[in-house]
Amino acid sequence: MKILTLHGGARKTGNTATAARIVEDKLRSMGHEIESIFLFDKNIKACLACGKCKEKPESVACVQKDDASDILEKMVTTDLVLFTSPLYFWGLAGPLKTMIDRTFSLYTDYHKPTHASLVEGQRQALLVTGGGPYENNAEPVFTAFNRLQSPHKAINAGELFIEKCTTPEKLEAEQTEQLLLFAGKIVG
């Protein structure tokens, strides 16, 4: 399976990147091909909501010339997208949220019989780390992620919140086991 990991966090050796690396290593050991993109390093402009992308529904057709177009093209050709982010103020890190906003260009005619998506049938998964508990903290991120699959016509392959994650070296055996199980789940 071809897998694309979109990292929303700024730290390449931080909590989220470390957790994602455990998942990616497991997936590689299972024979899957993985490409990781750290979005913080990319030039990704906010969606203009201009609707120009809807004029060419058969391709990624955003009017903005930045790194998002190449990332969107990669999303279209992959079997699974793993979105990763630290929890920032009850939401996703800015680079990942901005990239998700740009996926507006991947579908047309949402809520209409002619609804189509360039990522229809794609598996999508979410991995989030945070210093606090899930309750009264992380729920909004997972609610939003669950809603993302509808316009994308994608499959929610899995979600995982690693709570009380304070430093990468403090990932406990139980959390590592959760990550390994998550890796197996998201590929079906």
Side-chain angles (χ1 to χ4, degrees), residues 29-41:
S29 76
M30 296 167 70
H32 300 286
E33 176 188 335
I34 298 172
E35 180 176 358
S36 289
I37 300 174
F38 285 86
L39 300 174
F40 193 82
D41 296 339

Side-chain angles (χ1 to χ4, degrees), residues 54-120:
K54 306 303 182 192
E55 294 173 7
K56 294 183 181 180
E58 68 283 350
S59 64
V60 176
C62 183
V63 298
Q64 299 194 77
K65 303 302 177 211
D66 62 3
D67 294 329
S69 294
D70 288 339
I71 295 167
L72 290 166
E73 291 288 350
K74 289 176 189 227
M75 284 182 72
V76 169
T77 62
T78 196
D79 303 304
L80 166 70
V81 176
L82 173 59
F83 299 92
T84 76
S85 178
L87 186 67
Y88 287 171
F89 295 95
W90 309 280
L92 296 172
L96 183 58
K97 174 62 170 93
T98 301
M99 189 65 227
I100 288 173
D101 289 348
R102 292 289 293 279
T103 69
F104 180 65
S105 65
L106 298 179
Y107 60 90
T108 56
D109 296 337
Y110 187 48
H111 293 303
K112 295 180 183 176
T114 53
H115 177 200
S117 171
L118 296 173
V119 293
E120 183 172 351

